Amino acid sequence: MSYNPSDIESKWQTIWSETGAFEPLDDKSLDKKYILSMFPFPSGRLHMGHVRNYSIGDAMARYYRKQGYNVLHPIGWDAFGMPAENAAIKHGRHPKEWTYSNIDYMRKELSALGLSFSKRREFATCDELYTKWEQEFIIKMFEEKLLYRESTTVNWCEECHTVLANEQVEDGCCWRCSNEVELKEMPGYYLDIRKYADELLDDLKLLEGRWPSQVLAMQSNWIGKSQGLEFSFSFSNDSKEKLENKFNGFDVFTTRPDTVYGVTYTALAPEHPIVKELIKNSLLDADIAEKIIAMGNMTEVERAKADKEGYDLGLTVIHPLTQEEIPVWTANFVLVSYGGGAVMSVPTHDERDFEFATKYNLPMKYVISGGEEGSAYTGDGELINSDRLNGMKNSEAKEAVIKLFEERGLGEGTTNYKLRNWGISRQRYWGSPIPFVHCDSCGLVAEKVENLPIALPEDVEITGEGNPLENHPTWSNCACPQCGADAKRETDTLDTFVQSSWYQFRYATDPKKWNSCGIDKEDVDYWLGVDQYIGGIEHAILHLLYARFFTKALRDLGFIDNLKEPFENLLTQGMVLMDGAKMSKSKGNTVDPDALIEKYGADTARLFTLFAAPPQKELEWNDSAVEGAFRFLKKLYSRKSKVVGNTLPIINQSSLTKDEKIARVKVYEALKRSIDVYEKTFAFNTLIAGCMEALNALDKQKNEEIWREGLYIITHLLEPITPHICAELSQELFESKNLTGGKIEILDEVFVQDTITLGVAVNGKRRAEIEVEAEASKDEIIARAKESIPKWLEGKNVVKEILVPKKMVNLVVK
RNA sequence: GCGGAUGUGGUGAAAUUGGUAUACACGCUAGACUUAGGAUCUAGUGCUUCACGGCGUGGAGGUUCGAGUCCUCUCAUCCGCACCA
């Protein structure tokens, strides 16, 4: 019988499904492994990226299951989000119907890959039962002041008709549709992730060596911690009067307190309240006011590209140390969202300040030695023109100046972060409703927990215009949970990243408890952290930062115990490429997983995916290499005829021929390598290569016992990668004993050789090869080595002889 | 600019602690079997040279008996952040 993948694969998929083969056990005394691939968005069809992601995770899960671990390997659906609404707009399908029918289709696709997921723990994040508990967390966060509502400038995507978080703006454009993001003032809900900035940063240390260094670096940069001095500039009396005494001054933040004596002007962001006040009261020329407003309205991209621009505001402040009067400008390079939206400017020691001061002819004063006239000097040196601090090294002056300000009560050392709070409001329908109510008399009120979930209305019109929940005639009408009066429900829904921030805890919670709680502490305590998380690098900041934050927040809110980090080990898989470019529908360079499985079977698809490149690297698609993977499986399958008995034989090593010994060595080398591969390096490509080598070596000999042992071990090793064919061969040949009996012992005797082949090098260059008895002495080996290369020794003296045991001889000659 | 990575045959890629560079696979060449071959099997395949040999892991140095691997400098490519005061 030749290899027929479709018969074999459907047979085993049925068996696995009927026996519930992959459900984790309730017994918490067992050693556990939690293997998690990032859950998919139900877009409609699987793509090759999914195949890769789940093949990697499945290999790990199956490996640990076979090693006797209690394995949690769940799957679910990240099911809320814009595409469901786009389908409604374009094809008139209800988002809910679209989503659940996509899930049904994709579930079949996953099952055709033979993935060993727990079925009982599957859920979609749009299930009302999931929404219910998520809303409870949100309410708790509100009560604990971790969530608040505020009106502020937000990133708005007109295409998606919604607000975006900072993390969702890429190059000034929407992460989903690439439309340019506009700034807009509007109310929204925020999670105070900044409260956890330090912990999120510090705990990255726990992940060193466990997460890719790139991801750690990206998160660290994103949090962007910097230490410095915060102090305020007071307005001169004239300026105070001009502002009708509404402002005494403003705060600035600097990481260069050592240059404070070099401040020659200050600059405010165009959106700064003081600038707004000046414009409101017509204290600036109309045309200048207009230009300042235009500066503030520029998109982030425009502003980043724009030349430095600014205007003298006609105000002055007093330098806190020198009492000098200094002009106040507004400048487009000052960001309102960072450091109070105001800076002290030291053109002599800051590139930006220098560029600006040069353009507008502002004064400059060098306060650190070492620079050249006519440029900004940002290096180290000694302080000059700095009063009592002259002569001090600037590195020391940083601390000294902070101390000086603190002693005089003028300012203090502080820490600043680039990280901004997470805006979670979305003005869309297909999301989890934010469970709050607006009451005329009580204000913003959280819904009562017993009323959860606040579910979406089914009868909704989705046109792409405006917020469908807001447009719904009756949905938002409700009673105030506090006073009972008529009130309005919040129509914003939660960012979909909220759902993916806690799904790892939901999977860990026994499904029998899903009705009674969102997260079960004990279950989470047993299963978490996730031993191996697998997904794309595109989530390096967004999802992985949010999920880390949620873990810490849920712990502090008492929903989970003592867990620091959700994902202990992270593997970021490379992209799947075709002709050097990322596969995408728009480029038309995709490979359809269904067609691939149809033609070659799931085992070939999985084998190719893991063989063509290590999982961390990009994977270049290659049709003939897929054929090659298929060819190998056909060959493997056909060799079953070589096996007669059905047990792992006990082989007398000393009676074997050379080829038989080589075959054994190759088989056991692969077995040895597998531990490192499955537990540490994930270089499945090298394990597969090892199995191919072993099979090639087996083909060069005829001993039935060697064949039996070889296939017993090879099918054992490959089962996590190509489970169907291995299950089939194992059942047929070995009554499945090699897949259920735990570890196979590595026999050291196999590696003992009677003769050893050694390379012979002269001055480090390989010149010959010799074969010596295993127990040959060093002198014997050296003598043999010399005999093998007479022409290289002619007329030379051997000055040094180096023997590297079992590897080579190096003779140094002169 | 800051941060992170990666450079090995025609291609995807291997190579514990420094120890015979290019395993495995694809492709290619030749042959066998075949009505046929886009099936299967066998052999060959880093570059160069008639040959002995020489040269080969982006480049240049260095350490070493010996370097893809360690050190210094440098070039190229990719990714992330980016006027963060």
Side-chain angles (χ1 to χ4, degrees), chain A residues 21 30 81 87 89-90 195 208 231 332 406 511 523 753 766:
Chain A
L30 298 169
I89 296 162
K90 271 194 198 155
K195 191 170 168 189
E208 272 169 24
F231 66 98
N332 62 346
E406 284 178 348
D523 291 348
Q753 294 168 286
R766 184 175 179 276

Side-chain angles (χ1 to χ4, degrees), chain A residues 593-764:
Chain A
D594 292 354
L596 187 70
I597 293 168
E598 171 78 18
K599 189 166 175 193
Y600 299 104
D603 282 338
T604 294
R606 296 171 58 137
L607 181 68
F608 167 76
T609 302
L610 295 182
F611 180 56
Q616 300 87 341
K617 274 190 92 168
E618 290 179 334
L619 171 66
E620 179 68 41
W621 194 262
N622 180 334
D623 285 328
S624 14
V626 176
E627 289 274 359
F630 184 55
R631 207 174 299 149
F632 171 72
L633 292 182
K634 273 194 287 191
K635 183 169 150 186
L636 176 67
Y637 188 79
S638 73
R639 297 305 188 267
K640 69 180 182 184
S641 62
K642 306 279 185 183
V643 176
V644 178
N646 64 12
T647 51
L648 184 62
I650 294 161
I651 293 170
N652 178 2
Q653 177 78 4
S654 62
S655 68
L656 301 180
T657 66
K658 196 173 170 189
D659 285 340
E660 289 166 355
K661 282 180 183 168
I662 292 174
R664 268 200 117 184
V665 166
K666 291 287 180 191
V667 167
Y668 277 89
E669 269 176 358
L671 178 62
K672 225 178 191 175
R673 177 181 282 177
S674 70
I675 299 164
D676 244 23
V677 166
Y678 281 117
E679 299 185 10
K680 236 163 57 195
T681 67
F682 313 123
F684 302 111
N685 52 330
T686 64
L687 175 61
I688 295 165
C691 290
M692 287 173 169
E693 276 186 73
L695 194 63
N696 290 343
L698 285 169
D699 263 332
K700 295 202 172 87
Q701 57 81 52
K702 292 194 171 74
N703 184 322
E704 188 276 333
E705 288 192 324
I706 302 283
W707 265 111
R708 191 178 348 138
E709 177 189 55
L711 287 187
Y712 190 97
I713 292 175
I714 290 173
T715 50
H716 168 84
L717 292 179
L718 288 179
E719 182 270 341
I721 296 167
T722 53
H724 310 87
I725 187 174
C726 290
E728 180 70 12
L729 288 173
S730 169
Q731 183 189 49
E732 202 173 325
L733 301 176
F734 310 117
E735 298 166 345
S736 304
K737 287 192 290 272
N738 61 335
L739 303 185
T740 50
K743 287 187 181 173
I744 297 176
E745 195 191 343
I746 297 169
L747 303 176
D748 291 333
E749 62 178 62
V750 171
F751 298 103
V752 176
Q753 294 168 286
D754 345 304
T755 63
I756 295 167
T757 307
L758 295 169
V760 180
V762 179
N763 292 339

Side-chain angles (χ1 to χ4, degrees), chain A residues 41-43 81-99 101-102 430 462-463:
Chain A
F41 175 78
S43 57
M82 278 301 294
E85 279 185 68
N86 292 338
I89 296 162
K90 271 194 198 155
H91 308 297
R93 294 179 67 180
H94 194 282
K96 186 172 179 178
E97 184 273 324
W98 182 85
T99 301
S101 74
N102 283 349
W430 192 235
I462 294 168
T463 58

Side-chain angles (χ1 to χ4, degrees), chain A residues 138-147 195 556-557:
Chain A
I138 290 296
I139 289 169
K140 186 79 176 171
M141 287 173 172
F142 176 66
E143 287 167 0
E144 298 297 326
K145 310 251 183 304
L146 200 55
L147 183 148
K195 191 170 168 189
D556 290 349
L557 297 174

Side-chain angles (χ1 to χ4, degrees), chain A residues 156-162 177 179-182 184 464:
Chain A
W156 175 263
C157 174
E158 185 59 30
E159 187 71 26
C160 296
H161 256 280
T162 187
C177 72
N179 190 42
E180 202 163 291
V181 168
E182 303 165 30
K184 202 168 169 177

Side-chain angles (χ1 to χ4, degrees), chain A residues 259-383:
Chain A
T259 64
V260 73
Y261 281 95
V263 175
T264 51
Y265 66 100
T266 64
L268 305 179
E271 307 94 324
H272 195 282
I274 291 171
V275 180
K276 286 188 176 167
E277 179 72 14
L278 289 171
I279 293 170
K280 195 176 106 194
N281 293 340
S282 308
L283 293 167
L284 295 170
D285 288 351
D287 59 323
I288 288 179
E290 222 166 84
K291 284 176 181 161
I292 294 174
I293 292 168
M295 278 189 334
N297 284 340
M298 279 173 125
T299 64
E300 274 190 49
V301 189
E302 286 171 335
R303 208 158 142 175
K305 281 186 202 146
D307 286 337
K308 300 246 176 322
E309 182 186 344
Y311 300 94
D312 190 344
L313 295 175
L315 300 171
T316 55
V317 288
I318 307 299
H319 190 294
L321 297 180
T322 65
Q323 310 303 322
E324 280 173 295
E325 211 169 317
I326 296 170
V328 180
W329 284 62
T330 180
N332 62 346
F333 66 88
V334 182
L335 306 175
V336 71
S337 54
Y338 186 82
V343 296
M344 67 173 215
S345 296
V346 185
T348 46
H349 302 291
D350 182 284
E351 302 281 0
R352 295 155 305 185
D353 295 345
F354 180 82
E355 196 186 325
F356 191 81
T358 306
K359 179 169 176 180
Y360 293 106
N361 255 319
L362 290 160
M364 304 195 196
K365 178 178 160 195
Y366 285 87
V367 292
I368 291 173
S369 64
E372 270 174 43
E373 207 54 44
S375 68
Y377 176 64
T378 53
D380 289 329
E382 286 180 1
L383 264 62

